[in-house]
Amino acid sequence: MKLVNFASLDPQIVASGRAGLSGATNQDRELWAALQQDWDAVAIEAAEAYAALALSNGVPADQELLQDEQEDFADGRTRSAVVQVRVNQARFRKSVLASYNATCCISGLQHEKLVIASHIVPWSEDAKNRLNPQNGLCLSALHDRAYDQGLITVMPDYTVRISSALKTAPIDAFLQSSLVDSDSKRIRLPDRFLPDPNFLAAHARHFRFIQ
């Protein structure tokens, strides 16, 4: 019920015709406002509280997030910093892939090992939204690379646009079917955490799809 109280504060949920519950408190509203101002700070604080609770009950927190990591790190602060970044990246990936059911929102490819949780606004450019799943798209490796290079974008209305450079260049049948044919098509929307139109607009503007 507490989560559904929060749902009543989410404009995306309200815009979809759902209302949530009416029992949201002032504390709920303050927490929601803090989350919108700095998603990462609230998410990390919540994760630390969860980890403390898990450890107090004999459960190793966050280990499942790093189970696929094979790399060894140097001891000390460097190792701690790198591991924390990996944990945060894993949290972001888990949230985005769960929202999209591990399905590329452009191609429809569905396989957890073949899709990527792509940041809309890059990790290095917005420290407050690195963990925000609304700053993510689930893309195949091909579409992730094309998105990072500005060959494609997703507009604020959730339609795909292909760069004029790609459309006018000589391309093979695979690129035509996998990328160019997606032009103007609507992406598959996630079950939750819709991509924030402001983030999408920032990407499209950066690569000059819009002014």
Side-chain angles (χ1 to χ4, degrees):
M1 291 181 69
K2 173 62 72 175
L3 291 175
V4 184
N5 284 337
F6 279 118
S8 70
L9 306 175
D10 188 334
Q12 291 187 348
I13 290 178
V14 173
S16 72
R18 295 167 292 172
L21 291 178
S22 60
T25 66
N26 288 334
Q27 186 178 46
D28 294 336
R29 293 184 176 87
E30 290 173 4
L31 179 57
W32 180 261
L35 183 64
Q36 302 312 304
Q37 292 172 7
D38 192 338
W39 186 289
D40 281 33
V42 176
I44 290 171
E45 183 180 353
E48 289 173 349
Y50 169 78
L53 177 63
L55 290 173
S56 69
N57 286 276
V59 178
D62 290 333
Q63 292 305 306
E64 75 282 0
L65 294 176
L66 293 174
Q67 61 186 0
D68 294 331
E69 296 290 346
Q70 302 296 328
E71 185 175 352
D72 292 328
F73 306 110
D75 291 336
R77 293 183 179 179
T78 299
R79 182 183 188 282
S80 296
V82 173
V83 168
Q84 187 58 54
V85 168
R86 292 292 180 85
V87 168
N88 288 341
Q89 289 173 335
R91 288 192 182 113
F92 176 78
R93 172 178 166 80
K94 187 175 182 179
S95 296
V96 172
L97 263 59
S99 297
Y100 287 86
N101 194 27
T103 303
C104 174
C105 66
I106 295 177
S107 69
L109 174 68
Q110 184 177 32
H111 194 296
E112 186 172 349
K113 298 294 185 181
L114 298 176
V115 292
I116 295 170
S118 302
H119 280 87
I120 301 170
V121 177
W123 176 280
S124 60
E125 294 182 11
D126 190 347
K128 293 184 177 181
N129 284 291
R130 290 172 174 171
L131 304 184
N132 185 350
Q134 291 179 296
N135 186 30
L137 295 169
C138 183
L139 297 172
S140 74
L142 171 66
H143 292 84
D144 171 72
R145 180 66 173 169
Y147 191 77
D148 281 349
Q149 295 296 311
L151 296 175
I152 63 174
T153 195
V154 177
M155 302 296 281
D157 64 357
Y158 305 121
T159 57
V160 178
R161 290 290 185 275
I162 307 299
S163 74
S164 57
L166 186 60
K167 287 193 290 187
T168 57
I171 57 173
D172 59 28
F174 177 77
L175 276 178
Q176 180 71 41
S177 62
S178 60
L179 287 179
V180 176
D181 287 350
S182 299
D183 194 38
S184 299
K185 292 183 178 178
R186 190 173 173 85
I187 66 169
R188 294 165 173 81
L189 296 178
D191 295 331
R192 53 188 180 277
F193 301 128
L194 282 172
D196 190 312
N198 293 318
F199 297 147
L200 295 173
H203 182 276
R205 190 175 298 112
H206 177 74
F207 289 104
R208 299 183 179 180
F209 286 88
I210 57 176
Q211 299 300 317

